[in-house]
Amino acid sequence: MIDDESFEIKFNTDFEGVLEGCADRESTWISDELKSAYRRLRKRGDIHTVETWKDGELVGGLYGITFRGAFFGESMFSKVSQASKAALVALLIHLKEKDFVLLDVQYMTEHLKMFGAVEISFEEYTKLLHKAYAKASKF
């Protein structure tokens, strides 16, 4: 269970903090070149963050790329228990409110399954992608 009272959720206020939090691992795929590409996407308004704060400190979060009605989750991190889960719950609520069609999580994990993520066929994914691209959703 997530204690919502202990976290403050913010959107798009600390992109660098979330990016560095996600990259701060013993082994990471988030290279300097990829960070530069993400920064360019952010300037265009195509990348967004959901941040989990506690006592004024960034303790978790996630980021992803948006295109019309689709959100492509890139990475998430947590410095304290439940922080990434709180960010994910906030993202799910936000995407529903904004009428997004697709949340692409890229890799299925037990963590994501807890929140209803399911694997779908390529054909179903393609249909959802076309439906998402027909939307004019704004994050």
Side-chain angles (χ1 to χ4, degrees), residues 37-51:
Y38 285 140
R39 289 181 183 111
R40 288 190 302 274
L41 285 169
R42 182 173 173 261
K43 285 180 184 177
R44 292 174 33 137
D46 295 329
I47 200 162
H48 300 279
T49 61
V50 181
E51 306 136 18

Side-chain angles (χ1 to χ4, degrees), residues 105-134:
V105 298
Q106 296 183 24
Y107 298 103
M108 183 59 70
T109 66
E110 291 303 315
H111 182 79
L112 296 170
K113 284 181 184 178
M114 289 189 318
F115 295 95
V118 294
E119 290 189 39
I120 60 176
S121 69
F122 179 75
E123 291 77 20
E124 188 174 351
Y125 181 79
T126 301
K127 287 178 189 175
L128 286 172
L129 207 52
H130 284 287
K131 187 176 177 183
Y133 286 3

Side-chain angles (χ1 to χ4, degrees):
M1 186 73 180
I2 299 169
D3 180 7
D4 293 333
E5 299 299 317
S6 65
F7 295 119
E8 178 183 5
I9 301 294
K10 297 181 183 180
F11 294 87
N12 297 321
T13 67
D14 191 356
F15 171 75
E16 289 296 326
V18 173
L19 183 60
E20 291 305 322
C22 289
D24 185 21
R25 300 168 193 208
E26 204 169 294
S27 176
T28 184
W29 53 272
I30 306 172
S31 66
D32 289 339
E33 184 178 28
L34 196 50
K35 287 178 187 179
S36 293
Y38 285 140
R39 289 181 183 111
R40 288 190 302 274
L41 285 169
R42 182 173 173 261
K43 285 180 184 177
R44 292 174 33 137
D46 295 329
I47 200 162
H48 300 279
T49 61
V50 181
E51 306 136 18
T52 310
W53 296 80
K54 185 171 184 159
D55 301 324
E57 180 185 349
L58 180 65
V59 295
L62 59 84
Y63 69 96
I65 298 167
T66 60
F67 183 77
R68 305 194 60 100
F71 185 96
F72 303 92
E74 292 293 309
S75 190
M76 60 188 342
F77 80 103
S78 185
K79 290 182 181 177
V80 300
S81 180
Q82 307 298 324
S84 63
K85 290 177 184 172
L88 183 57
V89 168
L91 174 67
L92 293 170
I93 292 167
H94 186 77
L95 294 179
K96 186 172 183 173
E97 288 173 352
K98 298 294 184 174
D99 203 26
F100 273 68
V101 173
L102 178 65
L103 168 55
D104 182 337
V105 298
Q106 296 183 24
Y107 298 103
M108 183 59 70
T109 66
E110 291 303 315
H111 182 79
L112 296 170
K113 284 181 184 178
M114 289 189 318
F115 295 95
V118 294
E119 290 189 39
I120 60 176
S121 69
F122 179 75
E123 291 77 20
E124 188 174 351
Y125 181 79
T126 301
K127 287 178 189 175
L128 286 172
L129 207 52
H130 284 287
K131 187 176 177 183
Y133 286 3
K135 288 273 192 187
S137 301
K138 295 280 185 186
F139 190 83

